[in-house]
Amino acid sequence: MAFRAVTCPRPSLPIPRRIRPSAAAGGGRPESHATQFASLAAVFRRRLLTGIGSASLVALGANFGGVTSFLLGLSPELGRSLRLDVLYPVQGFTRCLDSSNGFEFIYPESWVGDQTVLYRAAGKAESERPLDPPPLVNGRSSSRPPRSVSEPVAAFGPPGSNGELNVSVIVSDVPRDFAIEDFGGPKEVGETVLRRIAGSRRGSDVSAALVDAAVREDPSKNVNYYRLEFRVEGPSFRRHNVAVCCARRGKLFTLNAQAPESVWPRVKQEFYRIADSFGLTEA
């Protein structure tokens, strides 16, 4: 059998741009290397700037390397007024904004939420909307509501701590016409609080001493914030506390920051900033 050779036609190769003549207007001079790559350099420059801009936005949004916190620290009052410190720490502090209860305050950025408070809140919410029928008492269904206990709705402290160093907020129900001002000035309010602390620990050798008391007025929200600094001592502990109390529309708000007395000199400036930042968010 004879085989016939078949020849595939070679594709015509384009003339490389670097040797292809370019018909310049009025002359026919060849295009220079700078002109040939000018458009390519422009495209590369645009893409580079776009990439840098996108990376900058990602870095700002993710606070990569603390860059967002650093920039906000250059104008801390602006960042706080916009409540950007809810997302990004500003000068070492993060904001707790509780819109459901209507309060806010700042705390050290290294502190974390108290898991015990979260578990209690979840358990309380579950008990208020159970899927199972209520338990029987002596063979009968009990319709009595569960006992109301004032527990913190927010709490933060250093990771791995034992709870001796933390800040928490309690929101309690009070009569709608309740007013802290009825107890007198800041010192009288502080002494009333200390008597309640001592009375709640009957049978134990616990003493409390008022260190300082002041009031911070907020005419825009028609509320007064009472700041109390006091010491509490017992047989096995010595604590230093800074508390802020205020009341409005049948709610009593109490922020309490506590620390062991041995730690107090190191954290007192942070505690003062926490106390001064506490406020109600609704007018």
Side-chain angles (χ1 to χ4, degrees):
M1 176 182 300
F3 293 93
R4 185 176 58 181
V6 178
T7 304
C8 295
R10 292 185 65 184
S12 58
L13 296 177
I15 301 175
R17 185 173 182 82
R18 62 185 179 88
I19 62 175
R20 180 184 299 170
S22 174
R29 295 176 56 189
E31 192 175 18
S32 67
H33 291 289
T35 305
Q36 293 171 12
F37 291 103
S39 58
L40 180 61
V43 172
F44 176 77
R45 196 162 43 243
R46 286 196 299 270
R47 291 183 178 179
L48 178 62
L49 294 176
T50 302
I52 292 175
S54 301
S56 300
L57 292 176
V58 171
L60 287 172
N63 199 24
F64 182 75
V67 61
T68 307
S69 297
F70 171 77
L71 294 176
L72 292 176
L74 300 178
S75 181
E77 296 304 324
L78 176 61
R80 293 193 182 103
S81 65
L82 297 176
R83 293 194 173 107
L84 295 178
D85 50 355
V86 173
L87 301 174
Y88 311 109
V90 175
Q91 291 187 330
F93 286 85
T94 301
R95 181 174 303 273
C96 171
L97 177 61
D98 189 327
S99 56
S100 60
N101 290 295
F103 66 84
E104 62 181 346
F105 64 95
I106 63 175
Y107 61 92
E109 63 174 314
S110 61
W111 288 16
V112 296
D114 191 329
Q115 297 299 316
T116 302
V117 173
L118 299 179
Y119 293 148
R120 286 178 180 175
K124 182 179 180 181
E126 184 65 24
S127 65
E128 293 176 351
R129 52 175 186 275
L131 299 178
D132 300 327
L136 297 177
V137 179
N138 296 329
R140 299 181 179 180
S141 176
S142 174
S143 58
R144 184 176 60 183
R147 182 170 60 96
S148 177
V149 179
S150 295
E151 295 182 344
V153 296
F156 299 90
S161 62
N162 57 4
E164 289 292 309
L165 175 62
N166 64 23
V167 58
S168 62
V169 177
I170 293 178
V171 181
S172 308
D173 293 324
V174 293
R176 196 165 182 83
D177 59 350
F178 175 85
I180 300 180
E181 292 78 5
D182 294 340
F183 294 93
K187 184 177 179 180
E188 289 76 17
V189 172
E191 292 174 347
T192 301
V193 171
L194 296 188
R195 285 196 298 268
R196 295 177 70 90
I197 293 175
S200 66
R201 295 177 175 270
R202 294 175 182 176
S204 61
D205 187 11
V206 174
S207 62
L210 185 65
V211 177
D212 188 28
V215 62
R216 170 168 48 96
E217 299 180 358
D218 186 353
S220 64
K221 295 185 176 64
N222 192 27
V223 62
N224 294 328
Y225 302 96
Y226 288 80
R227 192 182 84 172
L228 313 174
E229 181 180 342
F230 55 93
R231 297 189 186 95
V232 181
E233 297 184 10
S236 59
F237 68 89
R238 295 180 61 204
R239 297 196 190 104
H240 207 113
N241 296 57
V242 176
V244 179
C245 307
C246 66
R248 188 177 63 181
R249 299 174 187 170
K251 297 289 184 181
L252 174 63
F253 300 83
T254 305
L255 175 141
N256 181 58
Q258 68 174 24
E261 190 65 42
S262 59
V263 182
W264 170 250
R266 178 169 55 87
V267 301
K268 65 178 182 179
Q269 295 302 327
E270 292 181 339
F271 274 32
Y272 292 152
R273 293 188 65 178
I274 292 173
D276 292 340
S277 71
F278 181 77
L280 304 184
T281 57
E282 297 177 0

